[in-house]
Amino acid sequence: MERWRGRVALVTGASVGIGATIAVELVRLGMKVMGCARDIGKIQKLAAECQSAGHPGVLVPFKCDLSKEEEILAMFAAIKEQHKGVDVCINNAGLAHPDLLLNGKTSGWKNMMDVNVLALSICTREAYQSMKERNVDDGHIININSMCGHRVVPKAVLHFYTATKYAVTALTEGLRQELRAENSHIRATCISPGLVETEFAFRLYSSSPDKASGAYSAYKPLEAIDVANAVTYVLSAPAHVQIGDVQMQGTEQA
C-alpha cells in the first residue's frame, strides 16, 4: 500500500458499516479519503477519531445524496478544486428495500436502481474522467458488489436487490473491457461478500427486528473489516495483476 500514501480515494456510503470501515482503514494506511454519505455527522466523528488515533492519512467528509446526480457532480467538482481529483474510487453505497416483484412499490425499486446502479455508474464515469485528465494511469475503481450479484437466493425480499447486484457484476466487467480498449492501466475490480454483520439486515427488516437477528443465526457472518482487508489486498496487487472479482462469505455455524 506504500504507493497509495498521500493519494486520494473516494468511498461512497462511508458513514456506517463496510464503507466506514474501508474509509478508516485507508486513512490508517496513509490515504486522503473523501468519505461521502447523506449523514455527514457520522463521517465527521470518524474523521475526528482518525485524527486522535494519529493515522497518517486524513478523512474528508462530504455530504452527498447519491440518488441525485447534481449532488454527485458537485462533490466531484469540490474534490477537484480542493484535492485535484480521485485516484481510487470505491463504490460502496448500496441499499435494499423489501419490495417483492409481485407487489413491491415502484418507489423502492427506483431507489435501489438510483443508488446501487446509476450512482455507481456516475461515480465511475466521473472518477475515470478525473484520472484521465490528470494522466493518472494506475488508478483503481472498486465496486462493492455482493454474492447476490452471482446467484439468486430464495428470499423474495432480495430479488430486486439481486437484480441490481447482477448489474454491478456486468458493469464491472464492461468497465474492464472498455478500459482495456482504451489501452488504460486503470484497474476495475468488484468485491462480492456474502452476509456481513452490519446494519444492512436491520434496515431491510426494519419492521421485523427478529428477522434481522435471525439472518445471522445460520452462518458466522463476515465482518466489515474482512471486506476492508479485501479492498487493501486488491489495491496492493502489483501493477501487472488484474483482480476481477473477490468472492467471499462466512462459514456455516457448527
Side-chain angles (χ1 to χ4, degrees):
M1 288 293 293
E2 186 61 31
R3 72 186 179 93
W4 294 112
R5 287 177 70 91
R7 299 183 70 181
V8 177
L10 169 65
V11 180
T12 66
S15 60
V16 295
I18 293 170
T21 304
I22 292 171
V24 171
E25 186 65 7
L26 295 182
V27 171
R28 188 183 70 81
L29 294 169
M31 295 193 74
K32 296 178 183 177
V33 178
M34 313 293 113
C36 80
R38 288 178 299 176
D39 188 348
I40 194 173
K42 291 181 179 179
I43 306 178
Q44 290 170 333
K45 183 179 178 183
L46 285 174
E49 291 172 356
C50 288
Q51 187 174 15
S52 297
H55 294 333
V58 62
L59 176 57
V60 181
F62 278 90
K63 183 177 177 63
C64 183
D65 183 343
L66 292 167
S67 67
K68 298 177 180 178
E69 182 176 11
E70 63 271 20
E71 292 197 19
I72 299 175
L73 298 181
M75 174 179 66
F76 271 91
I79 293 172
K80 179 179 179 179
E81 180 181 355
Q82 299 168 22
H83 304 279
K84 297 183 179 179
V86 171
D87 302 308
V88 173
C89 178
I90 300 174
N91 289 306
N92 164 77
L95 52 81
H97 296 293
D99 289 304
L100 279 60
L101 301 180
L102 299 181
N103 58 12
K105 295 178 181 177
T106 305
S107 59
W109 296 341
K110 185 176 185 301
N111 190 219
M112 284 185 272
M113 287 296 295
D114 284 345
V115 175
N116 298 4
V117 179
L118 291 178
L120 176 146
S121 299
I122 295 166
C123 287
T124 295
R125 179 190 69 203
E126 296 304 311
Y128 170 71
Q129 293 298 329
S130 172
M131 296 174 198
K132 183 179 179 182
E133 69 183 20
R134 293 176 297 120
N135 296 315
V136 171
D137 197 41
D138 66 341
H140 209 137
I141 297 169
I142 299 173
N143 295 328
I144 304 302
N145 195 358
S146 167
M147 287 303 294
C148 284
H150 303 277
R151 65 191 183 195
V152 181
V153 297
K155 291 185 183 296
V157 293
L158 289 175
H159 286 159
F160 197 94
Y161 169 80
T162 294
T164 69
K165 290 302 184 178
Y166 264 78
V168 173
T169 301
L171 289 167
T172 307
E173 175 58 17
L175 174 63
R176 187 190 67 79
Q177 293 182 16
E178 290 188 27
L179 289 169
R180 183 176 61 183
E182 292 292 319
N183 294 315
S184 173
H185 294 98
I186 295 168
R187 293 184 286 186
T189 301
C190 72
I191 295 175
S192 302
L195 188 63
V196 184
E197 193 167 6
T198 64
E199 297 179 2
F200 181 88
F202 291 95
R203 289 179 173 178
L204 177 63
Y205 296 112
S206 57
S207 62
S208 181
D210 288 344
K211 282 188 178 181
S213 299
Y216 299 113
S217 62
Y219 291 85
K220 166 61 179 169
L222 297 169
E223 298 177 8
I225 190 61
D226 298 321
V227 183
N229 287 339
V231 169
T232 58
Y233 166 70
V234 300
L235 284 173
S236 301
H240 68 284
V241 177
Q242 166 69 57
I243 300 173
D245 194 351
V246 177
Q247 298 184 24
M248 54 196 297
Q249 58 188 33
T251 55
E252 191 169 355
Q253 297 278 37

